[in-house]
Amino acid sequence: MSTHAQPKGYFLPGPSAYPAMAATGALTMAFGLTFWFNGVPHGDLLFFLGFFFFVFTKFRWFGKTISESEAGKHNLAVDTSFRWSMSWFIFSEVMFFASFFGALYYSRVYSLPDLSALHSKILWPAFTGAWPSVGPAGLIPSIKEAMDPWPIPTINTALLLSSGLTLTISHHALRASHRKNAIFWMVLTLILGFTFLLCQAYEYHHAYEVLGIKLSSGIYGSTFFMLTGFHGFHVFLGGTMLSVVLFRLIRGDFTAEHHFGFEAAAWYWHFVDVVWLLLYVLVYWL
């Protein structure tokens, strides 16, 4: 938000088609993905059509919001509502990942011991209930070995923690009105983040081709790819947010006093860091 005089009251934007357009794009993506997974012809095209329409809508929508902010229409009351909105959004993401961590915990602590104690005597005599498990029925090919925390996951941990540090330095530089330093450290943050994604892509290739771990590899494969895959998507989303912040930094949108767009992206990135630390311990080490 630029340093214009604070407007009185609470800014209310006029009627907009963007919410309906975004909902249409999301619904098209959902139908396209459903058709694609069920072998309906052109389901993939429908999905990508909805995806690009959704992205286009968000680009125009957020661009309009940025223009309103730069025009001085957003006062402290609007800034407060933005902060609450971002906080609740991150909380919803916390609950999203908590459901998958809960699935991992339940399958390891309750399901496998119960199957081992009860059903091994009735249906699957050779089942031991050890983790990682691909299931007791023997219908799924066994994996060659579980994912090891070294070297890629440990390298990725160092990359993400370092990116959190460089992002914090960039934020402090902006608050000190050192815009060039803020831009430099933001660029470094993005390099570290996208290097993380490249390492994860290599890890997935290794898991699939060498270790035989797939999304269909029982409860181990499904929880591994759902947790790490969704986290990788959030890293990509956070990197996209920081890329927009970098562009706005270069353009000179932010000031030392008014830069909530920067702070919101930074909150999200630090959330992604914390989730990865949990993943690193619970998925790779335990």
Side-chain angles (χ1 to χ4, degrees), residues 139-163:
L139 301 177
I140 301 172
S142 298
I143 62 176
K144 296 178 181 179
E145 63 178 282
M147 292 300 299
D148 191 82
W150 180 262
I152 297 298
T154 301
I155 294 174
N156 272 347
T157 302
L159 287 171
L160 270 191
L161 292 179
S162 299
S163 71

Side-chain angles (χ1 to χ4, degrees), residues 197-213:
L197 291 177
L198 291 175
C199 289
Q200 189 171 52
Y202 173 80
E203 179 191 42
Y204 273 17
H205 179 268
H206 179 77
Y208 191 90
E209 296 293 339
V210 178
L211 303 182
I213 303 175

Side-chain angles (χ1 to χ4, degrees), residues 28-29 32-33 36 40-52:
T28 304
M29 289 172 59
L33 197 62
W36 191 4
V40 178
H42 308 302
D44 53 344
L45 296 179
L46 185 63
F47 168 77
F48 286 112
L49 177 64
F51 172 78
F52 287 116

Side-chain angles (χ1 to χ4, degrees), residues 73-122:
K73 297 180 179 180
H74 294 171
N75 58 13
L76 292 178
V78 176
D79 183 82
T80 300
S81 70
F82 282 162
R83 293 177 185 276
W84 273 107
S85 298
M86 192 64 189
S87 298
W88 282 113
F89 171 67
I90 292 177
F91 177 75
S92 72
E93 296 281 52
V94 170
M95 294 295 101
F96 175 83
F97 277 101
S99 65
F100 289 110
F101 280 116
L104 177 66
Y105 173 80
Y106 184 83
S107 62
R108 294 184 64 171
V109 176
Y110 292 100
S111 295
L112 285 177
D114 287 349
L115 287 171
S116 180
L118 178 62
H119 296 302
S120 63
K121 300 178 181 179
I122 302 174

Side-chain angles (χ1 to χ4, degrees), residues 172-217:
H172 282 286
L174 177 60
R175 294 182 63 183
S177 298
H178 297 153
R179 190 165 65 92
K180 290 184 178 180
N181 289 340
I183 292 172
F184 170 79
W185 289 105
M186 180 61 74
V187 169
L188 187 55
T189 300
L190 287 169
I191 291 174
L192 292 170
F194 286 109
T195 302
F196 172 93
L197 291 177
L198 291 175
C199 289
Q200 189 171 52
Y202 173 80
E203 179 191 42
Y204 273 17
H205 179 268
H206 179 77
Y208 191 90
E209 296 293 339
V210 178
L211 303 182
I213 303 175
K214 304 176 182 179
L215 188 62
S216 59
S217 298

Side-chain angles (χ1 to χ4, degrees), residues 8-69:
K8 295 181 179 180
Y10 190 94
F11 171 71
L12 293 176
S16 174
Y18 291 134
M21 292 170 63
T24 300
L27 187 62
T28 304
M29 289 172 59
F31 274 109
L33 197 62
T34 302
F35 293 157
W36 191 4
F37 284 176
N38 287 277
V40 178
H42 308 302
D44 53 344
L45 296 179
L46 185 63
F47 168 77
F48 286 112
L49 177 64
F51 172 78
F52 287 116
F53 184 73
F54 182 81
V55 171
F56 168 78
T57 301
K58 289 294 185 181
F59 178 81
R60 296 297 299 272
W61 195 353
F62 288 126
K64 183 176 177 61
T65 303
I66 291 171
S67 299
E68 293 166 352
S69 176

